[in-house]
Amino acid sequence: MAKAAVVILNWNGAGHLRRFLPSVLSNTPAGVGVWVADNGSTDGSAGMLAEKFPAVEVIRLDRNYGYAEGYNLALADTRLDGVDYAVLLNSDVETPAGWLGPLTRALDSDPRLAAVSPKILSYTDRQSFEYAGASGGFIDILGYPFCRGRILSTVERDAGQYDTPREVFWTSGACMVVRLNLFRNLSGFDGDFFAHMEEIDFCWRAGLAGWKSAVVPASHVYHLGGGTLSPDSPRKLYLNYRNNLYMLYKNLPTCGRRMIIPLRMLADGMSALVYLFTLRGRAFRAVWDAHRDYRRQKPSLRAKRAAATAGASKPFKEMTGVYRGSIILRYILGKRKFGDIL
């Protein structure tokens, strides 16, 4: 039987761990280890775990490496050697009974699957999808991510309309199960991302290497969201804008990169002007800083680009989960549900 381990990355999230770990421990099958990788927390998380949850294994990191590099270091821990599937789970996720089985069975049944995610519902409104993943991740031709059940800021109610399992472009880092050896062989997440979009970049690189990603709605979890950075945080905006450009530069073929990235940067600039005209100066500065740092980082991204695109079997627009139009334009025209677009 495949061996799995749940690994929760924590940074100053003692409150979330107290609140959500009981469901994970209660509803994770026997024989599946539950680990917390502590990203240099200063809120007493480690002591609280030792006192309240002694059955949980702890991986101690010396500082906050962010989501991307934090997971890279955690999943490189030799104590996880021999684990087939690593379950990456946010600290603010509630797991109901039976949540893990459908995910591991999907990986068992398809040896070309790199990663799977469950249907992700809102912890505060359980009849609605949650922003970070909903029922499977997609991407448009300009690199804007969206989901079955969430287009931009519009989140749908869950009425079973996206309950079919299917191959997707990306799986959500809020809850995703990966083949551990493959994760390691693909060098894991890109640590330069720090946080946000690293899971999309990983799934894209896996896809270029001939692997697949899928959503398995027979499993569902409840995600609180916004546990580290609020949706309106300038820092979060900066990371999303910057990392999206990193991702496009690394993974697009030469012809696509020369066409798509300038269009994407133009669209970003228009967003920045909206922020400026609506007196959101810090958001405007976040876009400005993201573009500046992308330009500065391009030389170091070239080697990553060569590794990601070497031997790519499909052009970007032909990969599963790519919408060949603009999700922004469709949204402006009133198409705000996934079913209206794909």
Side-chain angles (χ1 to χ4, degrees):
M1 293 180 63
K3 183 179 179 183
V6 177
V7 183
I8 299 169
L9 189 68
N10 172 66
W11 179 66
N12 288 345
H16 285 331
L17 294 173
R18 289 191 192 96
R19 185 176 183 180
F20 294 101
L21 254 181
S23 75
V24 179
L25 293 170
S26 296
N27 296 317
T28 297
V32 177
V34 176
W35 298 67
V36 170
D38 190 71
N39 232 346
S41 294
T42 57
D43 68 343
S45 291
M48 184 277 295
L49 286 168
E51 178 185 354
K52 302 290 187 182
F53 303 103
V56 172
E57 299 278 358
V58 178
I59 300 170
R60 296 177 185 269
L61 304 178
D62 62 323
R63 60 182 175 86
N64 181 16
Y65 289 90
Y67 180 96
E69 191 63 14
Y71 261 122
N72 288 345
L73 293 170
L75 296 187
D77 192 296
T78 57
R79 289 174 291 173
L80 293 174
D81 291 353
V83 167
D84 298 295
Y85 306 145
V87 185
L88 284 59
L89 187 69
N90 277 15
S91 62
D92 59 348
V93 170
E94 180 184 286
T95 57
W99 70 284
L100 187 54
L103 300 172
T104 57
R105 286 194 292 271
L107 289 165
D108 288 341
S109 65
D110 188 343
R112 297 308 302 169
L113 272 179
V116 295
S117 275
K119 178 168 65 173
I120 301 178
L121 301 174
S122 169
Y123 178 77
T124 55
D125 179 3
R126 299 191 173 217
Q127 302 306 309
S128 294
F129 292 105
E130 208 278 321
Y131 182 94
S135 193
F138 292 73
I139 197 169
D140 81 351
I141 198 65
L142 294 181
Y144 286 101
F146 62 101
C147 307
R148 287 202 305 178
R150 189 270 295 172
I151 306 294
L152 300 182
S153 60
T154 298
V155 178
E156 295 182 46
R157 304 282 287 178
D158 174 28
Q161 69 271 42
Y162 306 125
D163 275 358
T164 52
R166 64 164 294 172
E167 187 178 347
V168 295
F169 191 83
W170 56 275
T171 58
S172 173
C175 180
M176 64 187 293
V177 187
V178 298
R179 296 184 188 274
L180 180 56
N181 284 340
L182 176 66
F183 183 87
R184 291 171 169 177
N185 290 340
L186 291 177
S187 300
F189 295 130
D190 186 331
D192 288 339
F193 280 46
F194 190 79
H196 299 294
M197 296 200 184
E198 62 286 302
E199 77 269 49
I200 306 176
D201 173 72
F202 171 80
C203 291
W204 193 342
R205 286 186 283 117
L208 291 173
W211 294 83
K212 301 186 296 183
S213 300
V215 62
V216 183
S219 169
H220 68 275
V221 298
Y222 300 100
H223 183 213
L224 179 62
T228 303
L229 291 173
S230 71
D232 295 326
S233 163
R235 173 66 173 166
K236 185 169 186 174
L237 283 174
Y238 164 80
L239 290 170
N240 277 325
Y241 279 99
R242 186 200 67 176
N243 291 351
N244 195 283
L245 291 171
Y246 280 7
M247 180 175 68
L248 293 173
Y249 188 82
K250 286 172 52 183
N251 298 311
L252 285 170
T254 300
C255 58
R257 188 173 65 252
R258 290 174 177 171
M259 179 181 298
I260 291 172
I261 291 181
L263 289 173
R264 176 55 192 264
M265 295 182 77
L266 176 62
D268 288 356
M270 294 172 66
S271 296
L273 288 177
V274 171
Y275 293 141
L276 184 63
F277 292 147
T278 55
L279 303 180
R280 297 177 63 188
R282 294 178 66 196
F284 171 83
R285 183 59 186 266
V287 181
W288 178 277
D289 289 347
H291 281 212
R292 177 202 64 202
D293 291 347
Y294 159 70
R295 292 188 180 95
R296 289 176 176 174
Q297 196 70 11
K298 282 173 69 174
S300 69
L301 293 172
R302 291 189 181 115
K304 296 179 181 180
R305 182 183 74 210
T309 57
S313 57
K314 288 184 181 180
F316 170 57
K317 65 181 181 180
E318 294 180 10
M319 293 178 71
T320 300
V322 175
Y323 173 56
R324 298 188 184 186
S326 166
I327 200 69
I328 302 289
L329 180 58
R330 299 292 285 178
Y331 192 85
I332 292 172
L333 294 175
K335 305 296 185 181
R336 301 187 176 184
K337 293 185 178 180
F338 182 89
D340 296 334
I341 297 168
L342 288 174

